[in-house]
Amino acid sequence: MRYHFIDEIVSLALDGTPRIEVAKHFDPADDVFGGPEGPERIPGSMLLELMAMTGGQLIFRHLGGTRLPLLLKVPECRLDGAAAAGDRLRAVATLRGLTSVADGTSVAQTESGVYIEATPIASARLMFVCVEPTAVGLARGPGA
């Protein structure tokens, strides 16, 4: 499996209400199709991951690349439809809140949805904790 959940950023707006739209297509050869949902259906967990990655990209870009959004909580998630291998999925995320909590750490909330063309198949409200990359050991300094 390619651990690459966004194929293309279709649109990005950081002014007003921040919003991002991305495109994703799961290749029929991906190993996600070996699970209990069958060889053709994209598992719901992958739809949730797509929404989390989309929201994370929006937050990361909104914060100017200075904070790393880590999924904290999924207060709400609905899987209302199904997608098959080869479907072109659209994922949309909107930033609904950003609160500073301490020492440059913040908590962000997004609303996300996954669509096949105009038909919604999944939606979620997601919460992220946003930390400095050094807090999770991702910064590289001299000798790293």
Side-chain angles (χ1 to χ4, degrees):
M1 172 178 190
R2 311 171 296 150
Y3 292 98
H4 179 95
F5 280 89
I6 295 175
D7 293 337
E8 172 191 2
I9 295 177
V10 176
S11 68
L12 175 66
L14 297 176
D15 54 338
T17 301
R19 181 184 182 279
I20 190 171
E21 180 178 337
V22 304
K24 174 65 181 164
H25 143 271
F26 287 90
D27 189 278
D30 280 347
D31 63 358
V32 301
F33 298 110
E37 295 188 37
E40 294 298 317
R41 186 174 175 167
I42 298 171
S45 60
M46 294 295 101
L47 298 177
L48 177 57
E49 181 67 27
L50 176 57
M51 290 186 284
M53 291 297 289
T54 302
Q57 276 289 326
L58 175 63
I59 295 164
F60 183 75
R61 291 166 185 272
H62 177 71
L63 296 175
T66 61
R67 297 288 182 266
L68 182 65
L70 304 172
L71 185 62
L72 176 66
K73 183 177 178 181
V74 182
E76 182 179 339
C77 182
R78 294 180 50 103
L79 302 173
D80 296 321
D87 284 343
R88 184 175 193 269
L89 303 178
R90 288 186 319 111
V92 176
T94 305
L95 185 62
R96 293 298 181 203
L98 181 64
T99 305
S100 180
V101 288
D103 299 331
T105 301
S106 54
V107 175
Q109 181 172 305
T110 63
E111 287 182 3
S112 299
V114 177
Y115 305 82
I116 299 174
E117 295 186 19
T119 304
I121 61 169
S123 61
R125 190 165 43 95
L126 307 168
M127 296 180 73
F128 298 81
V129 62
C130 306
V131 299
E132 290 185 28
T134 56
V136 290
L138 293 179
R140 296 202 181 264

